[in-house]
Amino acid sequence: MQNQEIMNHDIFTSLQELMNHLNCKAKNSPTAVLAVRFQCEEVLRHIEHLQFTNNSAHVQLATKQALQYISTAIEEADAYILGKGSLSGNKKKNLMDICGPAHASLEIILNLNYN
């Protein structure tokens, strides 16, 4: 039980760091998209490794939503990478299409940190 709490503490600390340093203010560019996508992959790995002693319906739903949002962020990044390679080329797309879901995911999962 104590090892689980230590592991979760480390994961939540890492997730908070990722949230604080999510590179969403960068200029729309392939490099910025790849950097944010890499950060989103880290978020996904961390969320998948969280273990809760209270596995209530609330925790399960919040975790599922966080996973859905981070998956959406990764899909948006992939669509950009596989597309024309320029968010500015598609006026309906910008870096916030990736960062918005990433932030939502982090907000949801960090709200489960009861420590």
Side-chain angles (χ1 to χ4, degrees):
M1 179 81 100
Q2 192 171 16
N3 286 339
Q4 179 181 354
E5 290 174 12
I6 291 170
M7 184 178 79
N8 278 350
H9 173 75
D10 292 345
I11 291 172
F12 278 119
T13 300
S14 295
L15 288 169
Q16 186 64 57
E17 281 293 310
L18 284 165
M19 177 122 172
N20 293 342
H21 296 99
L22 195 60
N23 195 13
C24 293
K25 294 184 180 180
K27 192 172 185 171
N28 290 340
S29 71
T31 304
V33 171
L34 287 172
V36 171
R37 188 189 189 290
F38 177 75
Q39 290 173 309
C40 289
E41 288 174 346
E42 281 188 77
V43 170
L44 179 62
R45 279 192 298 279
H46 287 311
I47 292 172
E48 289 175 337
H49 286 98
L50 282 172
Q51 296 177 1
F52 296 100
T53 53
N54 170 11
N55 203 17
S56 67
H58 167 75
V59 170
Q60 290 177 26
L61 178 61
T63 303
K64 182 179 177 181
Q65 283 184 313
L67 288 168
Q68 287 173 334
Y69 276 118
I70 202 64
S71 294
T72 298
I74 292 170
E75 288 169 11
E76 289 290 337
D78 287 345
Y80 167 80
I81 293 165
L82 296 173
K84 295 181 180 177
S86 172
L87 288 173
S88 60
N90 181 351
K91 294 189 190 304
K92 294 182 181 180
K93 293 259 185 207
N94 63 41
L95 195 55
M96 287 312 297
D97 291 323
I98 301 164
C99 291
H103 269 285
S105 176
L106 285 161
E107 287 286 345
I108 290 168
I109 208 70
L110 287 170
N111 281 329
L112 295 177
N113 185 8
Y114 303 122
N115 294 333

